[in-house]
Amino acid sequence: MFGWALHGDGRRISDGAVVAPHERLSWPRTIGIGMQHVIAMFGATLLVPTITGFPVTTTLLFSGIGTVLFLLITRGRIPSYLGSSFAFIAPLTAAAGDGPAAQLGGVVAAGVALMLVGLAVKLIGARVIDAVMPPVVTGAVVALIGLNLAPTAAGSFQAQPLIAAVTLLGILLATVIGPGIIGRLGILIGVVVGWVFAAITGGLADDRVDALREAAWFGVPHLRGPSFDLSVILLALPVVIVLIAENVGHVKAVSAMTGKSLDDLAGNALFADGLATTLAGAGGGSGTTTYAENIGVMAATRVYSTAAYWVAAVTAIVLSFSPKFGALVFTVPDGVIGGATMVLYGLIGVLGVRIWMDAKVDFTDPVNLTVVATALVAGIGNLTLSIGSVELGGIAWGSVGILVAYPVMRRLNSLRRA
């Protein structure tokens, strides 16, 4: 698991090649890419506790621990960072009146449920993934996960368009024409360029800068235990649907990018994320999921080495003990986030298209065409509907819709032809 083979000379990636999960570049380059993964996940990972009122450093701590567990349980074969899941925002917000302990109980319940799903997939075998999620379905799920985030990227971009444009330009130039490691660290470089430009032009929020000055350099994350309330648990359980879709979509996306099937590890991935979510809820952090932002980084760098994710996980754990660093990250303005996510989220959407292309999905088939079209619009438009007191967004409805509609429509189509 820790014996990564050096890719080539450790400095360059030849045209058309990728750095596989069991490989690595030189350690300075691997550390740089690992730090880029930290930057990629930071905004979203810290945004969830900010919205829900959970402690930021505690959530960061458990995201790092969860990533370590994920890498161990998947035996270092699936590169992934486990950050805060946005799917928990709605149920946690709805349960705010029940108190933080009850909210954490809902997170724990969702984590345990996901662990059970992972065990079931592991026992039944990878064939259940192929049966339930063929390429036409998995491509749609991956695509809608990325494209569902498009309004968020656009909104951040519009908030500070000049800063966002400078950030985006920095990323594009570094990625496209940057030599060697410069091209691999394009997103990190673009974010730094955007932040510096924002600082020079007065684009940093004064209250966040003041908070940075006052924050302590070292501090222990605040831990808190859960309590269990049935109404809150029922609010949180539908989140499992989203977590399954995101995890399986992540496995499929990494498989598409590396050219190696990882379906045999889908159960491990689900179980690992469930365990990470359970531990986070038990200690005071938000639930986790495999992070789409980091898929974008891998797609941009062509580096899928799990060594970089070990760097990211350890860095997150160390930084969770520094309130000063958390405050520094919060000074990153909306424009910088918008410029970076404009690239990252788009790359995720395109990965779904790549899954269709590699599998040669036939879109002259009316079943493929209609169910994918419907799921994508639900995801991109962020269709949000409530079932009782439970509110589900576009990723959930799009994923569930195609998971249910595809086999039903395929069966009806076969009966019509019989």
Side-chain angles (χ1 to χ4, degrees), residues 262-298:
L262 297 171
D263 284 354
D264 60 312
L265 288 173
N268 296 59
L270 291 166
F271 181 86
D273 189 14
L275 178 59
T277 295
T278 301
L279 289 178
S286 185
T288 62
T289 187
T290 48
Y291 244 36
E293 286 82 348
N294 298 88
I295 295 179
V297 172
M298 291 190 290

PDB file of all heavy atoms in Angstrom, residues 262-298:
ATOM      1  N   LEU A 262     -12.515  -0.706 -11.224  1.00  0.00           N
ATOM      2  CA  LEU A 262     -12.403  -0.720  -9.762  1.00  0.00           C
ATOM      3  C   LEU A 262     -13.709  -1.160  -9.117  1.00  0.00           C
ATOM      4  O   LEU A 262     -13.911  -0.953  -7.922  1.00  0.00           O
ATOM      5  CB  LEU A 262     -12.024   0.684  -9.261  1.00  0.00           C
ATOM      6  CG  LEU A 262     -10.665   1.227  -9.723  1.00  0.00           C
ATOM      7  CD1 LEU A 262     -10.531   2.701  -9.345  1.00  0.00           C
ATOM      8  CD2 LEU A 262      -9.523   0.428  -9.106  1.00  0.00           C
ATOM      9  N   ASP A 263     -14.590  -1.780  -9.918  1.00  0.00           N
ATOM     10  CA  ASP A 263     -15.902  -2.175  -9.410  1.00  0.00           C
ATOM     11  C   ASP A 263     -15.801  -3.119  -8.219  1.00  0.00           C
ATOM     12  O   ASP A 263     -16.685  -3.134  -7.356  1.00  0.00           O
ATOM     13  CB  ASP A 263     -16.726  -2.829 -10.512  1.00  0.00           C
ATOM     14  CG  ASP A 263     -17.277  -1.808 -11.502  1.00  0.00           C
ATOM     15  OD1 ASP A 263     -17.100  -0.597 -11.252  1.00  0.00           O
ATOM     16  OD2 ASP A 263     -17.871  -2.205 -12.519  1.00  0.00           O
ATOM     17  N   ASP A 264     -14.738  -3.915  -8.165  1.00  0.00           N
ATOM     18  CA  ASP A 264     -14.602  -4.862  -7.056  1.00  0.00           C
ATOM     19  C   ASP A 264     -14.383  -4.157  -5.727  1.00  0.00           C
ATOM     20  O   ASP A 264     -14.507  -4.769  -4.661  1.00  0.00           O
ATOM     21  CB  ASP A 264     -13.445  -5.835  -7.316  1.00  0.00           C
ATOM     22  CG  ASP A 264     -12.108  -5.118  -7.463  1.00  0.00           C
ATOM     23  OD1 ASP A 264     -12.048  -4.127  -8.222  1.00  0.00           O
ATOM     24  OD2 ASP A 264     -11.132  -5.554  -6.827  1.00  0.00           O
ATOM     25  N   LEU A 265     -14.059  -2.857  -5.784  1.00  0.00           N
ATOM     26  CA  LEU A 265     -13.823  -2.092  -4.561  1.00  0.00           C
ATOM     27  C   LEU A 265     -14.971  -1.146  -4.226  1.00  0.00           C
ATOM     28  O   LEU A 265     -14.865  -0.349  -3.299  1.00  0.00           O
ATOM     29  CB  LEU A 265     -12.527  -1.288  -4.688  1.00  0.00           C
ATOM     30  CG  LEU A 265     -11.232  -2.098  -4.637  1.00  0.00           C
ATOM     31  CD1 LEU A 265     -10.045  -1.196  -4.944  1.00  0.00           C
ATOM     32  CD2 LEU A 265     -11.051  -2.756  -3.286  1.00  0.00           C
ATOM     33  N   ALA A 266     -16.076  -1.216  -4.998  1.00  0.00           N
ATOM     34  CA  ALA A 266     -17.201  -0.318  -4.742  1.00  0.00           C
ATOM     35  C   ALA A 266     -17.758  -0.518  -3.333  1.00  0.00           C
ATOM     36  O   ALA A 266     -18.089   0.450  -2.636  1.00  0.00           O
ATOM     37  CB  ALA A 266     -18.293  -0.534  -5.784  1.00  0.00           C
ATOM     38  N   GLY A 267     -17.869  -1.768  -2.902  1.00  0.00           N
ATOM     39  CA  GLY A 267     -18.359  -2.053  -1.556  1.00  0.00           C
ATOM     40  C   GLY A 267     -17.433  -1.491  -0.489  1.00  0.00           C
ATOM     41  O   GLY A 267     -17.888  -0.918   0.509  1.00  0.00           O
ATOM     42  N   ASN A 268     -16.125  -1.646  -0.703  1.00  0.00           N
ATOM     43  CA  ASN A 268     -15.153  -1.092   0.236  1.00  0.00           C
ATOM     44  C   ASN A 268     -15.276   0.420   0.324  1.00  0.00           C
ATOM     45  O   ASN A 268     -15.192   1.002   1.411  1.00  0.00           O
ATOM     46  CB  ASN A 268     -13.735  -1.453  -0.205  1.00  0.00           C
ATOM     47  CG  ASN A 268     -13.461  -2.947  -0.192  1.00  0.00           C
ATOM     48  OD1 ASN A 268     -14.136  -3.705  -0.869  1.00  0.00           O
ATOM     49  ND2 ASN A 268     -12.467  -3.364   0.572  1.00  0.00           N
ATOM     50  N   ALA A 269     -15.457   1.064  -0.853  1.00  0.00           N
ATOM     51  CA  ALA A 269     -15.562   2.519  -0.877  1.00  0.00           C
ATOM     52  C   ALA A 269     -16.794   2.993  -0.102  1.00  0.00           C
ATOM     53  O   ALA A 269     -16.723   3.953   0.678  1.00  0.00           O
ATOM     54  CB  ALA A 269     -15.617   3.009  -2.319  1.00  0.00           C
ATOM     55  N   LEU A 270     -17.917   2.326  -0.317  1.00  0.00           N
ATOM     56  CA  LEU A 270     -19.140   2.692   0.391  1.00  0.00           C
ATOM     57  C   LEU A 270     -18.984   2.477   1.895  1.00  0.00           C
ATOM     58  O   LEU A 270     -19.389   3.311   2.705  1.00  0.00           O
ATOM     59  CB  LEU A 270     -20.314   1.873  -0.147  1.00  0.00           C
ATOM     60  CG  LEU A 270     -20.760   2.209  -1.576  1.00  0.00           C
ATOM     61  CD1 LEU A 270     -21.677   1.115  -2.114  1.00  0.00           C
ATOM     62  CD2 LEU A 270     -21.459   3.558  -1.618  1.00  0.00           C
ATOM     63  N   PHE A 271     -18.402   1.331   2.265  1.00  0.00           N
ATOM     64  CA  PHE A 271     -18.203   1.034   3.686  1.00  0.00           C
ATOM     65  C   PHE A 271     -17.261   2.055   4.319  1.00  0.00           C
ATOM     66  O   PHE A 271     -17.505   2.533   5.441  1.00  0.00           O
ATOM     67  CB  PHE A 271     -17.629  -0.371   3.860  1.00  0.00           C
ATOM     68  CG  PHE A 271     -17.414  -0.761   5.299  1.00  0.00           C
ATOM     69  CD1 PHE A 271     -18.449  -1.309   6.030  1.00  0.00           C
ATOM     70  CD2 PHE A 271     -16.184  -0.559   5.919  1.00  0.00           C
ATOM     71  CE1 PHE A 271     -18.264  -1.662   7.375  1.00  0.00           C
ATOM     72  CE2 PHE A 271     -15.989  -0.899   7.253  1.00  0.00           C
ATOM     73  CZ  PHE A 271     -17.029  -1.458   7.979  1.00  0.00           C
ATOM     74  N   ALA A 272     -16.181   2.406   3.606  1.00  0.00           N
ATOM     75  CA  ALA A 272     -15.205   3.353   4.148  1.00  0.00           C
ATOM     76  C   ALA A 272     -15.832   4.720   4.375  1.00  0.00           C
ATOM     77  O   ALA A 272     -15.609   5.356   5.414  1.00  0.00           O
ATOM     78  CB  ALA A 272     -14.014   3.464   3.193  1.00  0.00           C
ATOM     79  N   ASP A 273     -16.618   5.195   3.407  1.00  0.00           N
ATOM     80  CA  ASP A 273     -17.273   6.488   3.570  1.00  0.00           C
ATOM     81  C   ASP A 273     -18.287   6.433   4.711  1.00  0.00           C
ATOM     82  O   ASP A 273     -18.429   7.390   5.480  1.00  0.00           O
ATOM     83  CB  ASP A 273     -17.949   6.901   2.266  1.00  0.00           C
ATOM     84  CG  ASP A 273     -18.457   8.336   2.308  1.00  0.00           C
ATOM     85  OD1 ASP A 273     -18.065   9.084   3.217  1.00  0.00           O
ATOM     86  OD2 ASP A 273     -19.237   8.717   1.414  1.00  0.00           O
ATOM     87  N   GLY A 274     -18.996   5.305   4.828  1.00  0.00           N
ATOM     88  CA  GLY A 274     -19.937   5.143   5.930  1.00  0.00           C
ATOM     89  C   GLY A 274     -19.239   5.185   7.276  1.00  0.00           C
ATOM     90  O   GLY A 274     -19.719   5.824   8.230  1.00  0.00           O
ATOM     91  N   LEU A 275     -18.084   4.516   7.369  1.00  0.00           N
ATOM     92  CA  LEU A 275     -17.319   4.520   8.618  1.00  0.00           C
ATOM     93  C   LEU A 275     -16.810   5.921   8.934  1.00  0.00           C
ATOM     94  O   LEU A 275     -16.881   6.377  10.084  1.00  0.00           O
ATOM     95  CB  LEU A 275     -16.142   3.549   8.506  1.00  0.00           C
ATOM     96  CG  LEU A 275     -15.208   3.470   9.716  1.00  0.00           C
ATOM     97  CD1 LEU A 275     -15.966   3.046  10.973  1.00  0.00           C
ATOM     98  CD2 LEU A 275     -14.054   2.504   9.436  1.00  0.00           C
ATOM     99  N   ALA A 276     -16.316   6.625   7.910  1.00  0.00           N
ATOM    100  CA  ALA A 276     -15.818   7.981   8.117  1.00  0.00           C
ATOM    101  C   ALA A 276     -16.938   8.915   8.583  1.00  0.00           C
ATOM    102  O   ALA A 276     -16.748   9.742   9.484  1.00  0.00           O
ATOM    103  CB  ALA A 276     -15.196   8.505   6.827  1.00  0.00           C
ATOM    104  N   THR A 277     -18.124   8.776   7.979  1.00  0.00           N
ATOM    105  CA  THR A 277     -19.272   9.594   8.373  1.00  0.00           C
ATOM    106  C   THR A 277     -19.705   9.275   9.793  1.00  0.00           C
ATOM    107  O   THR A 277     -20.035  10.180  10.580  1.00  0.00           O
ATOM    108  CB  THR A 277     -20.436   9.367   7.390  1.00  0.00           C
ATOM    109  OG1 THR A 277     -20.064   9.854   6.095  1.00  0.00           O
ATOM    110  CG2 THR A 277     -21.695  10.094   7.842  1.00  0.00           C
ATOM    111  N   THR A 278     -19.703   8.004  10.138  1.00  0.00           N
ATOM    112  CA  THR A 278     -20.086   7.584  11.494  1.00  0.00           C
ATOM    113  C   THR A 278     -19.143   8.178  12.536  1.00  0.00           C
ATOM    114  O   THR A 278     -19.584   8.709  13.563  1.00  0.00           O
ATOM    115  CB  THR A 278     -20.084   6.051  11.600  1.00  0.00           C
ATOM    116  OG1 THR A 278     -20.994   5.509  10.636  1.00  0.00           O
ATOM    117  CG2 THR A 278     -20.489   5.599  12.999  1.00  0.00           C
ATOM    118  N   LEU A 279     -17.832   8.090  12.279  1.00  0.00           N
ATOM    119  CA  LEU A 279     -16.856   8.638  13.224  1.00  0.00           C
ATOM    120  C   LEU A 279     -16.976  10.156  13.333  1.00  0.00           C
ATOM    121  O   LEU A 279     -16.864  10.714  14.425  1.00  0.00           O
ATOM    122  CB  LEU A 279     -15.440   8.259  12.782  1.00  0.00           C
ATOM    123  CG  LEU A 279     -15.052   6.785  12.941  1.00  0.00           C
ATOM    124  CD1 LEU A 279     -13.636   6.556  12.420  1.00  0.00           C
ATOM    125  CD2 LEU A 279     -15.141   6.367  14.403  1.00  0.00           C
ATOM    126  N   ALA A 280     -17.223  10.807  12.186  1.00  0.00           N
ATOM    127  CA  ALA A 280     -17.380  12.263  12.210  1.00  0.00           C
ATOM    128  C   ALA A 280     -18.572  12.655  13.071  1.00  0.00           C
ATOM    129  O   ALA A 280     -18.476  13.561  13.915  1.00  0.00           O
ATOM    130  CB  ALA A 280     -17.550  12.791  10.790  1.00  0.00           C
ATOM    131  N   GLY A 281     -19.699  11.978  12.882  1.00  0.00           N
ATOM    132  CA  GLY A 281     -20.877  12.272  13.682  1.00  0.00           C
ATOM    133  C   GLY A 281     -20.668  11.976  15.153  1.00  0.00           C
ATOM    134  O   GLY A 281     -21.191  12.676  16.027  1.00  0.00           O
ATOM    135  N   ALA A 282     -19.891  10.940  15.441  1.00  0.00           N
ATOM    136  CA  ALA A 282     -19.638  10.561  16.837  1.00  0.00           C
ATOM    137  C   ALA A 282     -18.731  11.557  17.544  1.00  0.00           C
ATOM    138  O   ALA A 282     -18.736  11.644  18.774  1.00  0.00           O
ATOM    139  CB  ALA A 282     -19.013   9.167  16.893  1.00  0.00           C
ATOM    140  N   GLY A 283     -17.955  12.333  16.766  1.00  0.00           N
ATOM    141  CA  GLY A 283     -17.008  13.253  17.386  1.00  0.00           C
ATOM    142  C   GLY A 283     -17.324  14.724  17.227  1.00  0.00           C
ATOM    143  O   GLY A 283     -16.613  15.565  17.777  1.00  0.00           O
ATOM    144  N   GLY A 284     -18.364  15.056  16.449  1.00  0.00           N
ATOM    145  CA  GLY A 284     -18.739  16.455  16.314  1.00  0.00           C
ATOM    146  C   GLY A 284     -18.517  17.061  14.956  1.00  0.00           C
ATOM    147  O   GLY A 284     -18.657  18.276  14.780  1.00  0.00           O
ATOM    148  N   GLY A 285     -18.182  16.235  13.951  1.00  0.00           N
ATOM    149  CA  GLY A 285     -17.945  16.746  12.607  1.00  0.00           C
ATOM    150  C   GLY A 285     -19.096  16.434  11.666  1.00  0.00           C
ATOM    151  O   GLY A 285     -19.996  15.656  11.994  1.00  0.00           O
ATOM    152  N   SER A 286     -19.053  17.020  10.491  1.00  0.00           N
ATOM    153  CA  SER A 286     -20.090  16.792   9.493  1.00  0.00           C
ATOM    154  C   SER A 286     -19.811  15.521   8.713  1.00  0.00           C
ATOM    155  O   SER A 286     -18.668  15.060   8.628  1.00  0.00           O
ATOM    156  CB  SER A 286     -20.158  17.983   8.533  1.00  0.00           C
ATOM    157  OG  SER A 286     -21.228  17.842   7.624  1.00  0.00           O
ATOM    158  N   GLY A 287     -20.866  14.933   8.118  1.00  0.00           N
ATOM    159  CA  GLY A 287     -20.728  13.713   7.328  1.00  0.00           C
ATOM    160  C   GLY A 287     -19.856  13.927   6.108  1.00  0.00           C
ATOM    161  O   GLY A 287     -19.732  15.044   5.599  1.00  0.00           O
ATOM    162  N   THR A 288     -19.247  12.847   5.624  1.00  0.00           N
ATOM    163  CA  THR A 288     -18.285  12.956   4.530  1.00  0.00           C
ATOM    164  C   THR A 288     -18.789  12.288   3.249  1.00  0.00           C
ATOM    165  O   THR A 288     -19.751  11.517   3.267  1.00  0.00           O
ATOM    166  CB  THR A 288     -16.955  12.289   4.917  1.00  0.00           C
ATOM    167  OG1 THR A 288     -17.177  10.890   5.158  1.00  0.00           O
ATOM    168  CG2 THR A 288     -16.365  12.927   6.161  1.00  0.00           C
ATOM    169  N   THR A 289     -18.094  12.590   2.162  1.00  0.00           N
ATOM    170  CA  THR A 289     -18.349  11.935   0.885  1.00  0.00           C
ATOM    171  C   THR A 289     -17.094  12.038   0.034  1.00  0.00           C
ATOM    172  O   THR A 289     -16.219  12.875   0.305  1.00  0.00           O
ATOM    173  CB  THR A 289     -19.540  12.582   0.151  1.00  0.00           C
ATOM    174  OG1 THR A 289     -19.851  11.810  -1.009  1.00  0.00           O
ATOM    175  CG2 THR A 289     -19.201  13.993  -0.302  1.00  0.00           C
ATOM    176  N   THR A 290     -16.994  11.178  -0.975  1.00  0.00           N
ATOM    177  CA  THR A 290     -15.891  11.293  -1.917  1.00  0.00           C
ATOM    178  C   THR A 290     -16.030  12.618  -2.661  1.00  0.00           C
ATOM    179  O   THR A 290     -17.115  12.965  -3.104  1.00  0.00           O
ATOM    180  CB  THR A 290     -15.924  10.136  -2.926  1.00  0.00           C
ATOM    181  OG1 THR A 290     -17.258   9.998  -3.443  1.00  0.00           O
ATOM    182  CG2 THR A 290     -15.527   8.829  -2.273  1.00  0.00           C
ATOM    183  N   TYR A 291     -14.930  13.339  -2.817  1.00  0.00           N
ATOM    184  CA  TYR A 291     -15.033  14.733  -3.243  1.00  0.00           C
ATOM    185  C   TYR A 291     -14.867  14.941  -4.730  1.00  0.00           C
ATOM    186  O   TYR A 291     -13.857  14.596  -5.336  1.00  0.00           O
ATOM    187  CB  TYR A 291     -14.035  15.589  -2.465  1.00  0.00           C
ATOM    188  CG  TYR A 291     -14.739  16.594  -1.599  1.00  0.00           C
ATOM    189  CD1 TYR A 291     -15.936  16.257  -0.978  1.00  0.00           C
ATOM    190  CD2 TYR A 291     -14.248  17.870  -1.399  1.00  0.00           C
ATOM    191  CE1 TYR A 291     -16.613  17.164  -0.190  1.00  0.00           C
ATOM    192  CE2 TYR A 291     -14.910  18.776  -0.602  1.00  0.00           C
ATOM    193  CZ  TYR A 291     -16.104  18.421   0.001  1.00  0.00           C
ATOM    194  OH  TYR A 291     -16.781  19.322   0.777  1.00  0.00           O
ATOM    195  N   ALA A 292     -15.898  15.547  -5.309  1.00  0.00           N
ATOM    196  CA  ALA A 292     -15.900  15.839  -6.733  1.00  0.00           C
ATOM    197  C   ALA A 292     -14.810  16.840  -7.101  1.00  0.00           C
ATOM    198  O   ALA A 292     -14.213  16.762  -8.178  1.00  0.00           O
ATOM    199  CB  ALA A 292     -17.271  16.395  -7.140  1.00  0.00           C
ATOM    200  N   GLU A 293     -14.538  17.798  -6.210  1.00  0.00           N
ATOM    201  CA  GLU A 293     -13.523  18.802  -6.490  1.00  0.00           C
ATOM    202  C   GLU A 293     -12.171  18.154  -6.787  1.00  0.00           C
ATOM    203  O   GLU A 293     -11.416  18.607  -7.656  1.00  0.00           O
ATOM    204  CB  GLU A 293     -13.379  19.764  -5.306  1.00  0.00           C
ATOM    205  CG  GLU A 293     -14.525  20.741  -5.167  1.00  0.00           C
ATOM    206  CD  GLU A 293     -15.734  20.153  -4.443  1.00  0.00           C
ATOM    207  OE1 GLU A 293     -15.768  18.934  -4.243  1.00  0.00           O
ATOM    208  OE2 GLU A 293     -16.648  20.923  -4.100  1.00  0.00           O
ATOM    209  N   ASN A 294     -11.864  17.084  -6.061  1.00  0.00           N
ATOM    210  CA  ASN A 294     -10.566  16.439  -6.242  1.00  0.00           C
ATOM    211  C   ASN A 294     -10.507  15.566  -7.484  1.00  0.00           C
ATOM    212  O   ASN A 294      -9.423  15.311  -8.021  1.00  0.00           O
ATOM    213  CB  ASN A 294     -10.216  15.643  -4.983  1.00  0.00           C
ATOM    214  CG  ASN A 294     -10.099  16.542  -3.767  1.00  0.00           C
ATOM    215  OD1 ASN A 294     -11.075  16.815  -3.088  1.00  0.00           O
ATOM    216  ND2 ASN A 294      -8.907  17.042  -3.520  1.00  0.00           N
ATOM    217  N   ILE A 295     -11.670  15.112  -7.967  1.00  0.00           N
ATOM    218  CA  ILE A 295     -11.697  14.442  -9.268  1.00  0.00           C
ATOM    219  C   ILE A 295     -11.247  15.432 -10.334  1.00  0.00           C
ATOM    220  O   ILE A 295     -10.487  15.089 -11.247  1.00  0.00           O
ATOM    221  CB  ILE A 295     -13.109  13.925  -9.601  1.00  0.00           C
ATOM    222  CG1 ILE A 295     -13.534  12.839  -8.608  1.00  0.00           C
ATOM    223  CG2 ILE A 295     -13.153  13.360 -11.018  1.00  0.00           C
ATOM    224  CD1 ILE A 295     -14.927  12.294  -8.863  1.00  0.00           C
ATOM    225  N   GLY A 296     -11.708  16.667 -10.212  1.00  0.00           N
ATOM    226  CA  GLY A 296     -11.307  17.689 -11.162  1.00  0.00           C
ATOM    227  C   GLY A 296      -9.809  17.920 -11.153  1.00  0.00           C
ATOM    228  O   GLY A 296      -9.184  18.104 -12.203  1.00  0.00           O
ATOM    229  N   VAL A 297      -9.209  17.919  -9.965  1.00  0.00           N
ATOM    230  CA  VAL A 297      -7.759  18.089  -9.861  1.00  0.00           C
ATOM    231  C   VAL A 297      -7.041  16.939 -10.562  1.00  0.00           C
ATOM    232  O   VAL A 297      -6.073  17.148 -11.302  1.00  0.00           O
ATOM    233  CB  VAL A 297      -7.320  18.168  -8.383  1.00  0.00           C
ATOM    234  CG1 VAL A 297      -5.791  18.147  -8.271  1.00  0.00           C
ATOM    235  CG2 VAL A 297      -7.867  19.433  -7.731  1.00  0.00           C
ATOM    236  N   MET A 298      -7.515  15.710 -10.354  1.00  0.00           N
ATOM    237  CA  MET A 298      -6.885  14.556 -11.001  1.00  0.00           C
ATOM    238  C   MET A 298      -7.029  14.629 -12.513  1.00  0.00           C
ATOM    239  O   MET A 298      -6.098  14.301 -13.256  1.00  0.00           O
ATOM    240  CB  MET A 298      -7.480  13.251 -10.459  1.00  0.00           C
ATOM    241  CG  MET A 298      -7.106  12.960  -9.022  1.00  0.00           C
ATOM    242  SD  MET A 298      -7.570  11.291  -8.468  1.00  0.00           S
ATOM    243  CE  MET A 298      -9.352  11.440  -8.404  1.00  0.00           C
TER     244      MET A 298
END
